[in-house]
Amino acid sequence: MSTNEFPIQTAIKETNINLAKQLISENPKSTILKDNDERTPLHWAVSINNNDLVQFIINQLPKGTDIDELVDASGWTAIHINASIGNVEILNLLMHTDPQPDINLPTNQGTTALHLSISKNHLSYVRVLIDEFAASCRVKDKKGYTPLHRAASIGSIAIMRLLIQLAKGVNVNAKDNDGWTSLHHALAEGHADAAIYLVDEAGADVNIENDDGQTPIQVAVDEKVAKYFKEHIEKK
């Protein structure tokens, strides 16, 4: 592929911002042109985390452009990319386009912006998604993971607390496609304190079994984690 086949995307990837702006100004419709990865200039502007360029491109989009329809080959919109980066200012720019994007739009893997931002441990971003844009905390990806599964997997008590306190109807014992609950994931990844939080503060079931008949403590990453968790639970 010639590097000039998609000159705007190339300019952005090379952080040649002035050239990118010039090319867009000459042909505003190029803002929705997709490259070989089916990514638009907006995708790449978000990828390099450039607030000013994102705003510039949004202003140049053809009237009525729905950025939910600007998906790449993996089903990612600019919002999905931004959720992985955690830039709240860009999130606000994207969410105030017209028509307003669907914050719960899934990628090809069923992951939402909330799933992605939790996996990267972007606490403040997660808070904005839930508090300001009413992101669903119950949606499952194609593996059956809820946002709480993701938070438990990285051991973030702060995000788990946010999900449980701010969201309505979060099922702490929800199972993924293999029958694993958030408690299974927390212990399997070695996050004993997160597991204790799930039991003490969220009422997670310590006896619930996955599809292989294993309780959470039986999938603990090692004996040390299992012992620490068990000793604490038995004190209650």
Side-chain angles (χ1 to χ4, degrees):
M1 182 187 89
S2 167
T3 55
N4 292 323
E5 188 175 349
F6 303 102
I8 297 173
Q9 282 91 331
T10 300
I12 296 172
K13 284 186 278 186
E14 293 175 353
T15 65
N16 193 340
I17 308 305
N18 289 335
L19 175 59
K21 286 183 175 181
Q22 178 188 333
L23 292 169
I24 290 168
S25 295
E26 291 170 357
N27 182 17
K29 287 185 179 179
S30 62
T31 53
I32 59 174
L33 178 68
K34 294 185 176 185
D35 62 17
N36 286 345
D37 295 317
E38 298 185 30
R39 290 193 164 187
T40 65
L42 185 59
H43 283 95
W44 289 111
V46 171
S47 293
I48 67 168
N49 208 21
N50 189 309
N51 298 20
D52 175 67
L53 183 59
V54 169
Q55 180 68 80
F56 179 84
I57 292 174
I58 287 173
N59 291 341
Q60 298 292 324
L61 288 171
K63 188 176 180 180
T65 297
D66 185 348
I67 64 173
D68 281 350
E69 295 178 0
L70 303 180
V71 294
D72 68 12
S74 298
W76 285 48
T77 66
I79 288 178
H80 293 121
I81 293 172
N82 185 57
S84 291
I85 296 170
N87 187 322
V88 173
E89 185 175 337
I90 286 181
L91 173 64
N92 278 300
L93 292 175
L94 295 170
M95 287 302 294
H96 285 91
T97 56
D98 185 20
Q100 186 178 55
D102 176 6
I103 200 62
N104 298 312
L105 189 73
T107 66
N108 293 352
Q109 295 303 314
T111 52
T112 64
L114 188 57
H115 284 107
L116 294 164
S117 58
I118 289 172
S119 293
K120 297 294 185 178
N121 205 12
H122 297 311
L123 177 62
S124 59
Y125 195 99
V126 170
R127 187 187 303 276
V128 171
L129 284 175
I130 299 170
D131 221 13
E132 295 186 27
F133 299 115
S136 173
C137 297
R138 290 176 290 176
V139 65
K140 291 185 174 185
D141 64 18
K142 288 193 174 180
K143 292 182 178 180
Y145 294 174
T146 64
L148 190 62
H149 281 106
R150 295 264 183 150
S153 293
I154 66 167
S156 175
I157 294 173
I159 291 179
M160 290 193 297
R161 182 179 290 117
L162 202 62
L163 291 170
I164 291 164
Q165 291 180 351
L166 285 185
K168 296 178 181 178
V170 171
N171 179 7
V172 70
N173 295 313
K175 293 185 173 185
D176 65 17
N177 294 352
D178 296 313
W180 285 45
T181 64
S182 296
L183 187 57
H184 282 93
H185 282 281
L187 288 169
E189 295 296 336
H191 304 303
D193 287 327
I196 291 164
Y197 168 82
L198 283 169
V199 175
D200 286 355
E201 304 297 328
D205 185 349
V206 298
N207 297 311
I208 197 167
E209 296 180 351
N210 63 20
D211 290 353
D212 293 322
Q214 298 167 304
T215 63
I217 200 168
Q218 290 176 317
V219 300
V221 65
D222 57 36
E223 196 56 43
K224 182 180 177 182
V225 168
K227 183 180 178 183
Y228 177 84
F229 174 74
K230 186 177 181 181
E231 286 177 349
H232 184 91
I233 297 304
E234 287 178 344
K235 290 177 183 177
K236 296 295 179 179

